[in-house]
Structure formats: C-alpha cells, structure tokens
Amino acid sequence: MQEVPDRPLRHGYTTGACATACTKAALLTLLTHTPISTVDIVLPIGEVVTFSMVRVDCKDDCAEAATMKDAGDDPDATHGATIVASVSFTDGIGVEVDGGIGVGRVTKPGLPVPVGMAAINPIPRRMIVQAVNEVLELHGMTRGVRVIISVPDGEEIAKKTLNARLGIIGGISILGTRGTVVPFSTSSYRASIIQGLRVAKEQGRTAVVLTTGGRSEKFAMRMYPELAEDCFIEMGDFVGFSASQAKRLGFHDLRFVGMMGKFSKIAQGIMMVHSKSAPVDFDFIAQMAAEVGVKEELLAQIRTANTATQVGDWMLEWGYPQFFEQMSLYCCKRISESMGGGTTIVTRLVTMGGVELGGATFDGTES
C-alpha cells in the first residue's frame, strides 16, 4: 500500500456524489433552459456539498452537465476524471438510470449490481434518483426522467483497477457509500477485498490466493497457472481480515504468497503487516533459525540484521533452505489460529525477483 503523507489529509468526493451533482445540474438546466453550473447536494452522511460543473450543454430535449472528480489526497485511479450526466424526459413515469461511455457493465455475479446492468452501485443510484425527484417536486412536476452517466476516459482508467477481473467490462464503476473519499481509507480497501472474494465465490472457485501486493500477485499467478484470474486477491496488509472473510464465505483452501519482510511478521502472529504496525523482530527470526540448526555465531549476526530480506539472503548463502519451510509453517499456523482453524493454509515465500524460497501447508491437525 502507498505510504500516507505526513500532513493533514484532504478528503475528496466519490464518483457517485459527482454523478449525482451532474444529474441535478443537468435536470435543472433542462427545466429552466438556463445553464446551471453550481449545485448543492446532500451526501449520504448528511453533509451538504457544493459542486461546480466544468461544462453544461442544453438542447430542447436533453441537457448534459460534467464535473471533474476530486479525490482529495486519496491515491484514487479516478482522481481528475470527468463525470458526465445526460438527462432527458421520457413518456413514462419514474427515473431510469443507466451507464454510457466509460461506465462498466457487470458480467459476473457476486457484485451489488445484477449481471447486465451498468456498474452504478446501489447507493449512488439511489442518490441520483433522490436528486431527480427533489428537483421535480420543487418544480411541481411529475415526469419520467432518463439519466445516463458517462466517463469519457473511463475505459482507460479501468485498466488501472481490478474491474475486468471482477467482471466489470468497458469502464469504471460509479461508487460511494458516504459520498466522501476518506484518504487512504482502510474501510475502502477492506471492501475491495470482500468484493474480490465474493466474485470468486460466485464463480464457483474453491481456492483463493492472497498476496500483499501486485508484485507478489504476479509471482503467485506463475506458481498457480491452473487457477483463474479471479482467484487472486490483493490483501495488502490485511492478512487476518482477508483470511477470516475468506473463511466466512466458505473457502477451505487459502494460499498466501509473499516476501520475507511482511511474512516474517505473519510468522510472529501479526495479522496487520503495514510497515508502521510493528517492526520486524530479529530475535524471533533468530529463534526460527535456531530451530533449523543455524549456529550460534550466525544467530548473533541475524539479531543485528537490517532487514528480513537480508536474513533470507544469508540463509541461502549459509546453506539453510529449510529455514524458509520453517517460517512458512509458522505463517500457516498463525493465520490458522487467527481465524479459528477450519481451512487448509498454504504459504509460499518468494524473493523480490520472484524466486521461490520455500513453502508449507497446514491443515490444522498438527500440534
């Protein structure tokens, strides 16, 4: 995960909030035949926020409004994206909401949006409908309204996300439960883990591979070429959370792939492995090394190491490949303990260059 800046962080707004604001501006423009470039909306958290449009166009039967998404200080792939709402009247009643260019379509079950629909999540969809109904009521009207949300660069932006793996094809998702983007939010990362697990479950997968990042995931895919892409979940630093959620969803084959630094912490029983959550314990690493027969003078050197990766290099240099099996077994057992057992745990250690160091399997029956 990206490091958090050491200063107060600026919140931003979700694609769902942006789409709602654009919808309100476009509908007001259509009703008044006057470009409305600034609107207020009420976010799900109750906060009233003002949005400015970067473009407003109006024809006799349709109006469009666009704003630029500001994600604040969050490292969000959609920061700076243009969100567009096109609004027109229909002959029916009620509000129709659909996606246009750059908004993905759902092709796999397991997401909060049914297969075949535009990837506009339930809360943003509800916000859009509510905004339309409020404007109509304010103007004393009962009309059918059609809203199309588009993101001109959405298909290109989606390449930086996991949408394709989750079965969202052709663009980004319109998201947001609060309306605001909390910078470096652990809740949003956890939500993405759950979403990935649910899609894998709905696809009938029985095993998932959990990795700490993109590099380890790439190596994991080489290790398990027989598994479908949606079996691979980037858990980041959330080891315990990911394991418990996988168990809750019924997975009984959990495979963890990662490198010495973070996995040395897992071996200790640390299930949140961010660099600031806990330091590497070199005394503990020396203890594991002693258990596989590393000599005392070398143990003293381990205790003064700079990084866990350096210790791994020494183990190879000194001829103790069994150390990696021992560390992997510790990881398996600690993960199993954290989630209350009930699943088979596999751990495989790799170098930063993708060379496999060793691994272990634990089914919960060993002492």
Side-chain angles (χ1 to χ4, degrees), residues 7 11 22 81 106 130 158 224 265 358:
R7 57 176 171 76
H11 287 209
C22 291
V106 176
Q130 182 178 335
Y224 298 110
K265 296 182 182 183

Side-chain angles (χ1 to χ4, degrees), residues 312-342:
D313 292 340
W314 287 340
M315 290 296 111
L316 293 174
E317 179 185 337
W318 298 339
Y320 292 100
Q322 64 271 36
F323 169 83
F324 302 108
E325 280 72 26
Q326 183 76 337
M327 177 180 279
S328 297
L329 184 57
Y330 266 90
C331 289
C332 291
K333 289 182 176 181
R334 298 296 87 82
I335 293 169
S336 183
E337 289 169 4
S338 77
M339 59 194 293

Side-chain angles (χ1 to χ4, degrees), residues 259-335:
M259 301 170 198
M260 282 287 297
K262 292 187 175 182
F263 274 43
S264 69
K265 296 182 182 183
I266 298 172
Q268 293 174 236
I270 297 168
M271 295 294 119
M272 173 61 181
V273 294
H274 189 274
S275 60
K276 295 182 180 178
S277 64
V280 174
D281 186 338
F282 292 101
D283 287 335
F284 175 76
I285 294 178
Q287 174 194 318
M288 287 190 293
E291 291 170 3
V292 297
V294 175
K295 298 175 182 179
E296 181 57 42
E297 61 268 25
L298 299 178
L299 298 180
Q301 186 171 333
I302 289 172
R303 295 187 186 100
T304 63
N306 291 321
T307 64
T309 300
Q310 184 179 39
V311 176
D313 292 340
W314 287 340
M315 290 296 111
L316 293 174
E317 179 185 337
W318 298 339
Y320 292 100
Q322 64 271 36
F323 169 83
F324 302 108
E325 280 72 26
Q326 183 76 337
M327 177 180 279
S328 297
L329 184 57
Y330 266 90
C331 289
C332 291
K333 289 182 176 181
R334 298 296 87 82
I335 293 169

Side-chain angles (χ1 to χ4, degrees), residues 88-301:
S88 57
F89 293 123
T90 69
D91 294 332
I93 59 172
V95 184
E96 303 172 15
V97 181
D98 203 355
I101 292 172
V103 173
R105 291 263 158 199
V106 176
T107 64
K108 293 182 181 179
L111 296 170
V113 177
V115 171
M117 290 185 66
I120 303 173
N121 271 21
I123 290 179
R125 191 177 290 270
R126 188 159 62 243
M127 290 170 64
I128 291 168
V129 171
Q130 182 178 335
V132 169
N133 287 333
E134 287 174 355
V135 170
L136 292 177
E137 183 177 351
L138 183 66
H139 284 76
M141 299 181 66
T142 302
R143 301 259 340 234
V145 175
R146 180 174 174 80
V147 180
I148 304 295
I149 304 300
S150 303
V151 183
D153 296 326
E155 191 164 2
E156 193 63 29
I157 295 169
K159 295 176 183 178
K160 303 173 185 177
T161 73
L162 295 177
N163 273 18
R165 185 180 306 181
L166 296 174
I168 300 170
I169 305 302
I172 67 167
S173 304
I174 304 300
L175 304 171
T177 56
R178 296 169 43 90
T180 59
V181 175
V182 179
F184 295 86
S185 169
T186 60
S187 61
S188 63
Y189 201 98
R190 288 174 186 233
S192 72
I193 293 169
I194 294 172
Q195 186 168 263
L197 289 168
R198 284 178 175 164
V199 168
K201 184 66 176 179
E202 289 292 334
Q203 293 302 303
R205 314 306 182 198
T206 58
V208 287
V209 183
L210 298 158
T211 65
T212 52
R215 184 185 297 179
S216 55
E217 183 181 78
K218 180 177 70 174
F219 301 150
M221 287 179 170
R222 287 201 304 227
M223 291 178 183
Y224 298 110
E226 74 280 7
L227 296 181
E229 187 180 44
D230 53 31
C231 293
F232 296 85
I233 312 290
E234 285 189 36
M235 65 179 175
D237 300 321
F238 301 97
V239 182
F241 174 82
S242 301
S244 63
Q245 291 299 315
K247 179 185 176 182
R248 182 180 65 82
L249 288 169
F251 291 101
H252 297 290
D253 180 353
L254 306 185
R255 308 176 194 182
F256 294 81
V257 178
M259 301 170 198
M260 282 287 297
K262 292 187 175 182
F263 274 43
S264 69
K265 296 182 182 183
I266 298 172
Q268 293 174 236
I270 297 168
M271 295 294 119
M272 173 61 181
V273 294
H274 189 274
S275 60
K276 295 182 180 178
S277 64
V280 174
D281 186 338
F282 292 101
D283 287 335
F284 175 76
I285 294 178
Q287 174 194 318
M288 287 190 293
E291 291 170 3
V292 297
V294 175
K295 298 175 182 179
E296 181 57 42
E297 61 268 25
L298 299 178
L299 298 180
Q301 186 171 333

